[in-house]
Each structure stands twice: as structure tokens, then as C-alpha cells.
């Protein structure tokens, strides 16, 4: 069993209203030092080992996990460089 | 300016319906090898450097960013161990 962590972020030009709300809330709580906040998500998958695991993860990202129009993704395979 | 990344996950015992939906969707797309999926989020903050930065980030997490009843968090300060 391998642990795969997929990190999904909005592309740089894409507005992030949730991040903006977090930044403004932090500032209004007194954390003036916070100049920007961007929110992303990550998905931890437990995957049975098999052939072509990297290709299959890439396919999962493109087909379901990320929206390639507005999001970038990257993933880490535990124990694999 | 420092980049701080806060990772927020559901605590182990907490049900994750979004993760469950992802796992089932992946299986129905033919990725039978996916045995579990859990979803978390991360927040990238751009923070001006100042004193007590780690204490202040911990405070932000406890007060606003995470829900300590059901979520765990950890954070990385870029360039600081």
C-alpha cells in the first residue's frame, strides 16, 4: 500500500475569494502582518501498489481530482522520488 | 516576507464524506486500487517577518484557520526548521 498525496492549488491568475476572506479576517483580528492568503486542498490516497502508478495518479488528477482549467496539481508518492 | 503553509486535516476518527465520495468516484472510474481517500486543505500565507512569528501563526490557527474540535493542523515556515 502506498500513500499518495495530491496537492491542488488555484492557478496564479485565478481569484481566490476564500483566501481573500481569510486574509481580511486575520487582519481584522489584529494580524496585520498577513499580506496574502491562498487556499488549496490536498487529497491523501491509500493506493495498492501496481504497475504505472504514477501514470494512473496523473490520470485520476486530470479526470476527477483537479479542474485543469483553473487548478494546478502535483503529487508525492511516499517513498518514491 | 515569509511564506507559511498551514496544513489542516480532519482528526482521524472524524468522518470525511468528501473523501469517501472521491474514493467511490475513483473506483467507479476504474481505479480499483484506491482504498481510501481523505481530504484536507492548506493555506499559504505571506507574512511580514516580525517577532514571535511561530506563536502568532499558532494563535491564528487556533482562533480562525482550524476548528480544533475536529481538525488537526501543522505548519511550515519557509526556511525555518
Amino acid at each position: 500500500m502506498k500513500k499518495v498525496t495530491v496537492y491542488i492549488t488555484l492557478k496564479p491568475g485565478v481569484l481566490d475569494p476564500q483566501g481573500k476572506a481569510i486574509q481580511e479576517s486575520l487582519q481584522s483580528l489584529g494580524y496585520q502582518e498577513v499580506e496574502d492568503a491562498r487556499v488549496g486542498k490536498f487529497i491523501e490516497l491509500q493506493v495498492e501498489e501496481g504497475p504505472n502508478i504514477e501514470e494512473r495518479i496523473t490520470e485520476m488528477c486530470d479526470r476527477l481530482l483537479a479542474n485543469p482549467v483553473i487548478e494546478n496539481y502535483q503529487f508525492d508518492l511516499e517513498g518514491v522520488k
Side-chain angles (χ1 to χ4, degrees), chain A residues 5-81:
Chain A
T5 309
V6 181
Y7 297 90
I8 298 164
T9 49
L10 287 171
K11 289 187 177 176
V14 179
L15 283 181
D16 179 3
Q18 196 187 356
K20 191 77 189 148
I22 287 172
Q23 185 223 343
E24 289 175 1
S25 299
L26 286 172
Q27 290 210 340
S28 74
L29 285 172
Y31 303 104
Q32 302 296 334
E33 69 266 44
V34 179
E35 306 239 321
D36 191 35
R38 304 271 295 172
V39 180
K41 64 184 168 180
F42 61 93
I43 303 167
E44 289 176 349
L45 302 172
Q46 301 290 336
V47 182
E48 256 182 72
E49 295 190 51
N52 306 321
I53 185 164
E54 293 201 39
E55 288 76 5
R56 285 178 72 85
I57 303 287
T58 305
E59 231 182 71
M60 290 179 208
C61 291
D62 288 327
R63 290 180 69 187
L64 183 78
L65 302 179
N67 176 349
V69 178
I70 56 167
E71 292 172 332
N72 289 329
Y73 63 83
Q74 60 185 81
F75 58 85
D76 289 338
L77 273 159
E78 195 182 70
V80 177
K81 287 286 162 212

